[in-house]
Amino acid sequence: PGSNPVPGAISIIVWYDVLVTKINFICRGNVWRSRVAEAYAKSLLANYPDIKVSSSGIEASRNYDGHISPYTKIRLEQDNLLEFAHPEWTQTTQQIIDDFDLLVFMNDTVYADACKLFKIPSNKSIVWHIPDRDEIYDDIKTNVSKLLKNYLE
């Protein structure tokens, strides 16, 4: 996996020889980590309308109210990122797994549990090591920036 910069053109992400145009960030509930990653990635890729970014949670359907959590909303508002966040959770489905070019799992546990629920192609999966706790906001932004660095050069 790696990047394939095109001289004189927009850099692109190539993952296992596949041009990445659809990225899905996946966590457990789709209320904090994946939602922040989605919003930040969308903000960085605002000038790249051909790249689709979304997020989902393998257990998101357990979130009965469906709206973005108050804590996530406050943090995103502080960085002017709320406009890039999807307003409601999305349940990870096999259709999402199949349709996206790159799946970014927030940690090993989410990836392992997702593998029990879905057929996950390892050749289009990245597993980060982002724990499910409040202090990881900057870690998520750093990881997203590294992932998308070739778009932004």
Side-chain angles (χ1 to χ4, degrees):
S3 63
N4 181 20
V6 178
I10 298 171
S11 295
I12 56 175
I13 292 179
V14 176
W15 187 258
Y16 285 95
D17 297 323
V18 173
L19 175 64
V20 174
T21 60
K22 296 182 282 185
I23 303 168
N24 187 261
F25 295 96
I26 302 171
C27 68
R28 190 160 303 282
N30 193 221
V31 294
W32 172 232
R33 296 172 295 174
S34 59
R35 197 80 68 94
V36 168
E38 173 190 11
Y40 189 59
K42 283 181 174 177
S43 75
L44 294 176
L45 296 169
N47 294 324
Y48 302 92
D50 294 340
I51 307 300
K52 179 180 179 181
V53 176
S54 68
S55 65
S56 62
I58 62 171
E59 296 176 1
S61 62
R62 293 183 182 184
N63 301 324
Y64 299 112
D65 67 0
H67 299 290
I68 195 165
S69 76
Y71 182 76
T72 303
K73 184 176 180 179
I74 290 168
R75 290 304 305 261
L76 293 175
E77 284 175 337
Q78 290 172 344
D79 281 353
N80 296 315
L81 296 173
L82 188 58
E83 69 180 285
F84 298 102
H86 194 269
E88 297 186 3
W89 56 259
T90 300
Q91 173 65 43
T92 305
T93 64
Q94 189 64 53
Q95 186 70 45
I96 288 172
I97 300 296
D98 295 342
D99 286 351
F100 280 79
D101 304 318
L102 187 59
L103 307 168
V104 182
F105 293 88
M106 292 296 115
N107 63 29
D108 295 327
T109 306
V110 171
Y111 178 73
D113 290 347
C115 287
K116 294 174 189 171
L117 299 169
F118 308 105
K119 184 177 178 183
I120 309 289
S122 61
N123 67 336
K124 64 179 191 176
S125 300
I126 296 175
V127 180
W128 288 349
H129 303 285
I130 307 286
D132 193 7
R133 63 174 197 263
D134 293 345
E135 305 85 32
I136 47 79
Y137 186 78
D138 291 332
D139 293 339
I140 291 172
K141 288 174 64 177
T142 297
N143 278 290
V144 169
S145 292
K146 287 178 184 177
L147 177 69
L148 302 179
K149 71 180 179 172
N150 293 308
Y151 283 105
L152 307 172
E153 292 177 344

